[in-house]
Amino acid sequence: MTAASLNPAQLEAVHHLAGPCLVLAGAGSGKTRVITHKIARLLQHGLAPREIAAITFTNKAAAEMRERAHGLVGPRAARELVVCTFHALGVRLLRSDGERLGLKPNFSILDADDVLGVLRDAGGTTDAALARRWQWAISLWKNQGLDADGAERAASNDDERVAARVMRRYQERLAAYQAVDFDDLIGLPLTLLRREAEVRHKWQQTFGHVLVDEVQDTNAVQYELLRALVDHDDERRRLFTAVGDDDQSIYGWRGATLDNLRRLPQDYPRLKVIALEQNYRSTGAILRAANAVIAANPKLFEKRLWSALGEGEPARVVECDGDEHEAERAVARIQALRAAGQAAKWSDVAILYRANHQSRALEQKLRAAQIPYKVSGGTGFFDRAEIRDLCAWLRLIVNNDDDPAFLRAATAPRRGIGHQTLASLGEFAARWKTSLFEALHAPSLGTAVKGKAIDALHEFGRVVVDLEHRARQTQGADDARALLLGWLHDIGYEQYLRDGEDSPRLADARWSHVLEFVDWIARRCGGEVRREAGTVEIERQSVWQVAQTISIVIGLAERGDDDDVVTLSTLHAAKGLEWPHVILAGVNEGLLPFRAEGDEMTPQRLEEERRLMYVGVTRAQRTLVVSWLRRRRKGRDTVAGVPSRFIAEMRQGEAAAPKEDPRERLKRLRAELAARPAATG
Ligand code: ATP
Ligand code: MG
């Protein structure tokens, strides 16, 4: 680490080890860089790697940080660092000490789909939309730190009271399945640390310093978890470094709150607050566009950002006929950037948009033009039925009590276990208060399930136990791959896919996803995670160990692609990242700011949408194109498109453009002076 790579304000943040520190600064000012360098500083200061916890919002950011730390402190130390998301940290705490809350170490993590299934069951409904509303309500309650009792008290109308009652039954089911949902990964560790002093002290002792990136997007429960982790009895040991930007707070809809930023100085009177003002990412023109957009929002903290990178090309606004035309123009733009040598690699370009569905037209045109791309932000790959099948198996071998996983695995492939058999097994399990898996081994099961069906169940149980046993033993990537392929062969999974698919081409595609997934697991077993900038090493694991974390890795991550490809991403998933060339697509009223039918646009929502636009604009380093549609799809219809108000706001920045940036002018004058023949001097 050289001091030259940090400016004085950054250095101050990195070297402040005597107390808590908050870096509050605009986009691209090197906040994340402060975290990475501070990790190195702490290591030099004598902290062991496992005593440092760096919390990031996405797994992508975590991988990037480890990668950077890798360069600074070497592979071994980088591997032992606890660099992860709040959710993954929660998993670590619960696997280690969750038993104090009645949770076995092998608990399952339910994804959103499983949760919906459990909710339909708990609420006795087949109405998916209703179940989804419950899911939202329960999630928001949990993010406010409420349990079912608290939710019942907080419920203010009949709908909410019903949701609170469903929440109670939902929680009972989760307890029976030894399962938790994503929100529990934050809430339960907090309960644990608050309730168990011994556990709290252990973890406070373990982490000598906690670092948090993107702190503006923490919710109330995450903030409390952070406090519980760092609030040592000895005030001098309350050490953490948080960095964030209130103008980039974009997860309010998921319960994140800027109150945390306001509370930090009150909760920690010794907090050192540091501002960064130089933006190292973007040209002057892009920065001005960004500042003009965010200027329309009320200010929580006054910030000034300047760039020494020169004026650069002005941000371009492009008007398109419709989404296909927009996609064609994006393709043309990318090809032009490549041809002119402005983009040396495909991965120099990103196309960003507000909603997942906006990628469709873009993907189609990119494919047609044979431009390689990846879609990040959505969990598309992991949502596929075949991948979810395999995940169910993996979850079941880790946690036999995971009934939702049992139901899926037992029927994928179908092996003589029909719905009737499963229903009978379910009744039997409920009567004896056991999990489905346990029920399957009960000697008296014969009273509930007959003949062939019972043989099929037993055979299924045998395969699960066998896989579980062998998954614990694998060593390295090749071993893992061999085990998984052998098992898939034994259960006839490929044939099952082919039987269920009319088109051989589709069946091929699905099977290739399975193979890709096997490879993805195997690489993790071998201790490697591939990333754009190279390979990151993690600890070697058995298949069983990888299976333990599968839901969390999948839930918050995307596939780690190492390819040189164009990135398509939602604005939310682009947070913290940067590309030389950025295209913001579909910048229309109704899309960005997003507005659903019948939706009320409150000032708060509009401000959050504006922050999203700000995040989008500030991802660009050298060029920015903002495109909008004259006609856009709305359900089945096509409606007239109106350019987003954010475009007009952005253009206010152009009006304010200096004829020439003063720094540029100085640079030019110096160059002219230097070039002047000596005789004239
Ligand atoms: P965001 O708000 O988008 O998360 P950030 O404040 O975290 O941005 P970084 O991602 O840390 O900013 O830095 C932005 C870019 O500037 C990166 O490419 C980083 O390497 C570079 N950078 C940061 N600080 C310096 C510095 N002192 N000297 C040179 N480059 C720097
Ligand atoms: Mg950052």
Side-chain angles (χ1 to χ4, degrees):
M1 178 178 67
T2 55
S5 58
L6 295 173
N7 63 36
Q10 288 175 316
L11 274 175
E12 192 183 3
V14 166
H15 287 282
H16 184 72
L17 302 177
C21 179
L22 169 67
V23 177
L24 194 64
S29 58
K31 297 182 297 294
T32 303
R33 189 167 176 125
V34 162
I35 298 240
T36 317
H37 283 250
K38 190 147 188 178
I39 292 172
R41 176 79 190 101
L42 290 164
L43 291 167
Q44 287 165 349
H45 191 65
L47 251 61
R50 61 190 150 64
E51 292 175 323
I52 301 171
I55 297 166
T56 58
F57 203 74
T58 60
N59 279 329
K60 187 159 186 159
E64 199 150 301
M65 199 157 290
R66 202 184 285 280
E67 216 166 80
R68 291 197 199 171
H70 181 290
L72 290 166
V73 297
R76 286 214 18 222
R79 222 173 328 174
E80 278 184 21
L81 288 171
V82 181
V83 182
C84 59
T85 60
F86 263 114
H87 290 89
L89 184 71
V91 174
R92 189 181 277 252
L93 265 60
L94 289 179
R95 294 247 188 255
S96 161
D97 298 304
E99 264 179 310
R100 306 242 186 171
L101 301 177
L103 203 59
K104 293 186 198 153
N106 59 357
F107 65 86
S108 294
I109 303 160
L110 300 189
D111 64 25
D113 262 17
D114 297 316
V115 167
L116 279 177
V118 178
L119 278 174
R120 280 202 298 266
D121 189 35
T125 183
T126 50
D127 182 347
L130 179 61
R132 201 160 287 127
R133 283 202 297 280
W134 288 337
Q135 185 178 20
W136 268 103
I138 292 172
S139 176
L140 282 180
W141 277 324
K142 286 189 175 185
N143 283 327
Q144 291 160 17
L146 300 178
D147 59 9
D149 287 337
E152 236 156 52
R153 279 193 298 273
S156 59
N157 58 40
D158 283 347
D159 282 350
E160 286 183 11
R161 274 185 283 276
V162 171
R165 273 201 298 280
V166 172
M167 178 174 179
R168 184 178 305 283
R169 291 200 289 272
Y170 168 72
Q171 289 305 114
E172 284 164 5
R173 279 177 172 68
L174 292 199
Y177 303 155
Q178 284 290 309
V180 301
D181 62 27
F182 270 36
D183 299 315
D184 291 334
L185 293 177
I186 313 294
L188 291 177
L190 177 60
T191 307
L192 179 70
L193 294 182
R194 282 193 170 154
R195 202 188 287 170
E196 307 283 330
E198 204 183 314
V199 177
R200 183 171 64 246
H201 289 144
K202 181 182 95 177
W203 286 99
Q204 289 178 349
Q205 212 64 40
T206 303
F207 295 135
H209 203 108
V210 179
L211 304 103
V212 185
D213 198 3
E214 310 270 9
V215 70
Q216 77 279 357
D217 278 321
T218 49
N219 64 35
V221 187
Q222 288 167 332
Y223 181 72
E224 291 304 326
L225 182 60
L226 171 68
R227 294 196 61 191
L229 277 172
V230 303
D231 277 357
H232 236 278
D233 294 338
D234 178 357
E235 207 191 326
R236 281 165 312 173
R237 296 186 60 186
R238 294 186 182 172
L239 296 174
F240 64 84
T241 302
V243 310
D245 177 6
D246 48 305
D247 287 333
Q248 294 184 68
S249 162
I250 54 177
Y251 281 92
W253 55 284
R254 236 163 50 180
T257 165
L258 282 172
D259 286 343
N260 298 339
L261 272 184
R262 294 193 194 94
R263 276 183 55 189
L264 264 175
Q266 290 156 20
D267 290 339
Y268 298 91
R270 298 172 64 231
L271 185 73
K272 172 124 195 140
V273 182
I274 293 173
L276 307 176
E277 300 200 321
Q278 180 167 4
N279 170 298
Y280 291 93
R281 178 178 295 146
S282 313
T283 61
I286 290 169
L287 203 55
R288 208 171 39 251
N291 287 338
V293 168
I294 205 64
N297 268 10
K299 290 261 143 243
L300 189 56
F301 299 98
E302 202 50 56
K303 276 180 297 225
R304 264 186 307 271
L305 269 187
W306 58 276
S307 163
L309 296 176
E311 172 65 11
E313 288 180 30
R316 239 191 267 181
V317 176
V318 171
E319 188 179 327
C320 309
D321 289 337
D323 55 0
E324 288 189 7
H325 182 223
E326 177 178 57
E328 280 162 12
R329 295 195 67 164
V331 164
R333 164 92 187 146
I334 295 169
Q335 284 165 335
L337 285 169
R338 287 302 302 259
Q342 271 185 289
K345 298 177 295 185
W346 296 118
S347 55
D348 283 347
V349 188
I351 311 180
L352 311 179
Y353 38 80
R354 175 67 177 85
N356 276 311
H357 70 83
Q358 291 174 267
S359 73
R360 229 171 287 148
L362 294 162
E363 285 189 70
Q364 203 187 358
K365 297 293 176 193
L366 285 168
R367 267 199 305 269
Q370 297 192 324
I371 295 177
Y373 68 88
K374 68 172 175 199
V375 183
S376 73
T379 45
F381 180 76
F382 294 106
D383 284 340
R384 295 175 193 283
E386 55 274 21
I387 304 302
R388 293 178 52 80
D389 284 349
L390 303 198
C391 286
W393 275 91
L394 294 174
R395 267 170 38 197
L396 186 60
I397 64 168
V398 172
N399 173 13
N400 295 158
D401 291 339
D402 188 337
D403 285 355
F406 182 104
L407 291 173
R408 181 153 198 139
T411 50
R414 289 206 181 283
R415 25 180 56 245
I417 303 175
H419 286 298
Q420 189 48 49
T421 307
L422 286 174
S424 307
L425 183 70
E427 280 163 29
F428 181 86
R431 184 147 22 96
W432 296 99
K433 299 211 178 342
T434 69
S435 68
L436 295 172
F437 192 79
E438 233 177 305
L440 176 155
H441 294 99
S444 55
L445 180 62
T447 58
V449 183
K450 294 274 176 264
K452 262 201 192 141
I454 215 167
D455 292 341
L457 283 174
H458 283 156
E459 170 61 12
F460 173 66
R462 195 191 59 71
V463 176
V464 172
V465 171
D466 181 58
L467 179 64
E468 177 179 336
H469 174 72
R470 289 193 292 153
R472 284 177 190 269
Q473 324 274 331
T474 63
Q475 306 221 341
D478 293 343
D479 207 17
R481 198 173 285 113
L483 167 69
L484 291 169
L485 291 176
W487 159 70
L488 284 167
H489 179 261
D490 291 346
I491 64 172
Y493 194 78
E494 184 178 0
Q495 195 53 48
Y496 161 72
L497 279 187
R498 297 199 179 282
D499 292 345
E501 202 61 74
D502 290 336
S503 136
R505 219 167 48 90
L506 282 179
D508 283 346
R510 294 184 67 188
W511 179 241
S512 77
H513 298 144
V514 170
L515 295 179
E516 194 179 331
F517 187 54
V518 165
D519 193 56
W520 185 84
I521 296 175
R523 282 208 311 265
R524 291 191 115 70
C525 292
E528 101 175 42
V529 177
R530 273 198 235 151
R531 301 243 327 118
E532 243 164 72
T535 298
V536 188
E537 278 184 62
I538 54 171
E539 268 168 280
R540 269 175 62 146
Q541 296 171 299
S542 68
V543 168
W544 193 82
Q545 283 170 317
V546 171
Q548 268 200 326
T549 55
I550 203 101
S551 316
I552 177 104
V553 176
I554 286 172
L556 301 168
E558 63 201 62
R559 282 181 290 166
D561 275 323
D562 54 345
D563 305 330
D564 174 18
V565 299
V566 169
T567 297
L568 299 190
S569 172
T570 61
L571 289 164
H572 282 100
K575 200 172 68 151
L577 305 175
E578 59 191 13
W579 293 270
H581 307 283
V582 168
I583 301 171
L584 296 186
V587 186
N588 273 60
E589 281 297 309
L591 291 171
L592 178 67
F594 178 76
R595 183 170 187 176
E597 199 67 57
D599 219 9
E600 195 198 343
M601 183 56 89
T602 61
Q604 288 79 8
R605 274 221 39 220
L606 182 62
E607 283 161 24
E608 180 150 323
E609 294 292 311
R610 188 175 282 116
R611 290 192 291 266
L612 263 175
M613 176 77 179
Y614 175 73
V615 166
V617 171
T618 54
R619 297 311 96 197
Q621 294 172 311
R622 298 209 297 271
T623 74
L624 173 70
V625 170
V626 175
S627 67
W628 67 277
L629 317 170
R630 265 194 302 267
R631 274 190 307 251
R632 69 180 182 93
R633 288 174 217 254
K634 198 169 173 189
R636 289 223 184 107
D637 305 327
T638 304
V639 297
V642 177
S644 167
R645 68 192 82 185
F646 300 149
I647 292 183
E649 293 173 3
M650 186 178 92
R651 282 183 154 155
Q652 305 247 303
E654 279 163 33
K659 289 282 168 290
E660 190 176 22
D661 184 281
R663 271 168 246 278
E664 278 294 283
R665 186 175 149 77
L666 195 63
K667 223 165 52 186
R668 186 172 53 75
L669 288 178
R670 284 219 181 94
E672 282 175 15
L673 280 174
R676 212 173 275 175
T680 59

